[in-house]
Amino acid sequence: MPVYNEKVMDHFMNPRNVGEIENPDGVGEVGNPVCGDMMTFYIKVKDNRLQDVKFKTFGCGAAIAVSSMVSEMAKGKTLEEAKKITPKSVADELEGLPKQKFHCSNLGAQALNKAIEDYQSKKKVKGGKER
Amino acid sequence: MRKVYLDNAATTPLLPEVREAMMPYLDETFGNPSSLHEWGDGAREAIETARAQVAQLIEANDDEIIFTGSGTEANNLAIKGLALAQQAKGKHVVVSAIEHFSVLHSARTLEKWGFELSEVPVDKYGVVNPEDVRKSLRKDTVLVSVMHANGEVGTIEPVQEIAQITRESNVVFHTDAVATAGTIPVDVKELGVDAMSLAGNQFYGPKGVGALWVRKGIRIMPLLDGGIQESGRRAGTENVPAIAGLGKAAELAKTDMAGRIKQLTPLRDRLLKELPSKIEHVVVTGHPQHRLPGHVSFCVEFIEGESMLMLLNSQGIAVSSGSACTSRALKASHVLIAMGLSHEIAQGSILFTLGIDNIAEDIDYVLETMPPIVDRLRQMSPLYSKFTKASKGGK
């Protein structure tokens, strides 16, 4: 078992923002069970800001801690700010991840990004209809 | 908080009697067994006593035992050493798909050295069909290696039946008995094998010591060159305290084995039966009956093994897992995949291996602690929410 630092352990033991959002504005899913980890992010957007962020994660301790940290970092940010969250900035916020866990489990930022893209593409379609 | 150690497949604790038997060789009897003075004599006697104790455990002759630095080393020596010694006869080797990496990777190294390798499959319980071994044999087959029991799923293999086949074909047969020697009765004559590996830390002996038994008359090429320790079959100054400990552990295993099995089996059967009745969507891995006495293994669907392991650890329970995330290589267990389980199911692997310190209350504690942990992780799992939505939609 890899040695996780205290901050990672805290986010694993007490993950923030676990769950689903009913009628979300955007959903992003990455990973698959074969590679080990799978994450789904749900977002609610108001005035271009992430009013709510929730997630569900199948995976190891690092995957759960990463998801929790991403949700915490993203909440309240504008979409542009949230899109700047990267695997590196998440790992830095968590004060480091074990080397072998960095790539496979650090999918949270990607899942969040996908959820934002999902929201933006839906908005475009909706906007088109209104015209 | 209650502390419950259920990872005896990784290593058993050291028995106090074993530690006592090791102490003189960490202290005043520090000599090199190769030395021709009093200090050397004491160390040499320790090794020869241990050799007899280990030989008695498996019903072998003393001079057929080669001490090694681990079970892994014993397996490396067996696979490479037995194949290399016979390469004039042929260059084909047969192993099962669920062997420990020390056998499997040794066989793959032989492939790089010009040997050909056949891997025999297993059924859904992890059992090798002896007929598949028969079919894999060729004129140039020089070695077959099938483990006595698998440490990950607990399944005991039909080694005796396989030995009949290899004997008819005059092929050398090695079995990795690291999971069984010292745990269940192992008699090399009855099994009919030609070589067998074992390790001290599987039956309350020290870590970093193992042994390979090779039947008299079977040739083996040493992997370590140097002095004539172990009759020239394994050079290097012996780890005297560890070998003395291995010997003592073997002696105690022989006398206490029946009692240990009697103690472990009902605890195992209770956990095997009751955990799946308390938690839905749990698959028992390995053979339901033909399994090691203290071995319980499952795959818990929709969640991953490492997170289960960490939450159990936070409640004082030590287990292991064969999930991709817990392996350093980040690959799902080759054993579970060979048994036909999907990667998704294999990710939920969890392994409880009981030892002689465990009591009924430990099992109560696991049965009480485990369901809320599984529930908590499932509430977090996108796979579980997909599953519940799909099954609700079906109704």
Side-chain angles (χ1 to χ4, degrees), chain B residues 63-82:
Chain B
D63 57 357
E64 295 169 329
I65 303 289
I66 307 167
F67 288 119
T68 64
S70 59
T72 286
E73 191 197 323
N75 281 336
N76 269 262
L77 177 56
I79 303 302
K80 295 171 186 165
L82 292 168

Side-chain angles (χ1 to χ4, degrees), chain B residues 321-350:
Chain B
S321 165
S323 89
C325 302
T326 45
S327 78
R328 295 235 171 108
L330 299 174
K331 275 187 183 163
S333 148
H334 68 290
V335 177
L336 299 176
I337 300 301
M339 285 161 56
L341 289 167
S342 71
H343 283 261
E344 189 179 319
I345 303 274
Q347 274 290 71
S349 148
I350 189 146

Side-chain angles (χ1 to χ4, degrees), chain B residues 193-208:
Chain B
V193 294
D194 301 303
M196 195 179 87
S197 310
L198 58 89
N201 67 333
Q202 297 290 309
F203 51 96
Y204 312 97
K207 285 169 271 294

Side-chain angles (χ1 to χ4, degrees), chain A residues 4 13 20 36 57 61 101, chain B residues 306 325 347 376 380 389:
Chain A
Y4 294 126
M13 294 301 293
E20 291 175 32
T57 291
K101 294 283 183 185
Chain B
E306 189 202 86
C325 302
Q347 274 290 71
R376 175 176 166 174
M380 235 186 268
K389 277 173 197 162

Side-chain angles (χ1 to χ4, degrees), chain B residues 171-376:
Chain B
V171 173
V172 172
F173 181 26
H174 163 259
T175 190
D176 168 4
V178 166
T180 54
T183 299
I184 59 172
V186 171
D187 178 333
V188 293
K189 291 190 186 90
E190 209 178 281
L191 287 175
V193 294
D194 301 303
M196 195 179 87
S197 310
L198 58 89
N201 67 333
Q202 297 290 309
F203 51 96
Y204 312 97
K207 285 169 271 294
V209 65
L212 179 66
W213 165 79
V214 183
R215 182 190 298 286
K216 199 173 266 175
I218 304 270
R219 288 186 56 225
I220 188 159
M221 179 94 87
L223 299 184
L224 296 181
D225 293 314
I228 54 154
Q229 291 90 352
E230 301 301 292
S231 307
R233 294 175 297 184
R234 202 273 191 182
T237 300
E238 300 88 339
N239 186 349
V240 182
I243 290 171
L246 173 64
K248 188 68 188 175
E251 183 196 298
L252 292 168
K254 188 151 177 97
T255 39
D256 299 349
M257 190 174 291
R260 289 178 187 175
I261 293 173
K262 214 174 151 192
Q263 177 198 347
L264 290 176
T265 310
L267 297 179
R268 172 198 74 183
D269 289 345
R270 211 180 128 216
L271 194 51
L272 268 178
K273 192 171 148 247
E274 288 186 25
L275 200 78
S277 74
K278 285 192 182 263
I279 305 171
E280 283 188 315
H281 307 291
V282 168
V283 186
V284 174
T285 57
H287 200 283
Q289 286 91 37
H290 297 140
R291 63 188 302 138
L292 294 166
H295 197 291
V296 182
S297 55
F298 302 109
C299 283
V300 182
E301 289 187 61
F302 316 115
I303 57 176
E304 187 277 328
E306 189 202 86
S307 39
M308 247 188 302
L309 186 156
M310 286 169 65
L311 289 176
L312 283 167
N313 185 48
S314 76
Q315 300 299 311
I317 301 173
V319 299
S320 62
S321 165
S323 89
C325 302
T326 45
S327 78
R328 295 235 171 108
L330 299 174
K331 275 187 183 163
S333 148
H334 68 290
V335 177
L336 299 176
I337 300 301
M339 285 161 56
L341 289 167
S342 71
H343 283 261
E344 189 179 319
I345 303 274
Q347 274 290 71
S349 148
I350 189 146
L351 178 51
F352 303 88
T353 44
L354 284 59
I356 53 174
D357 291 334
N358 292 126
I359 52 173
E361 284 75 10
D362 294 338
I363 305 302
D364 295 339
Y365 184 58
V366 171
L367 288 168
E368 164 197 319
T369 311
M370 183 87 176
I373 287 177
V374 171
D375 191 49
R376 175 176 166 174

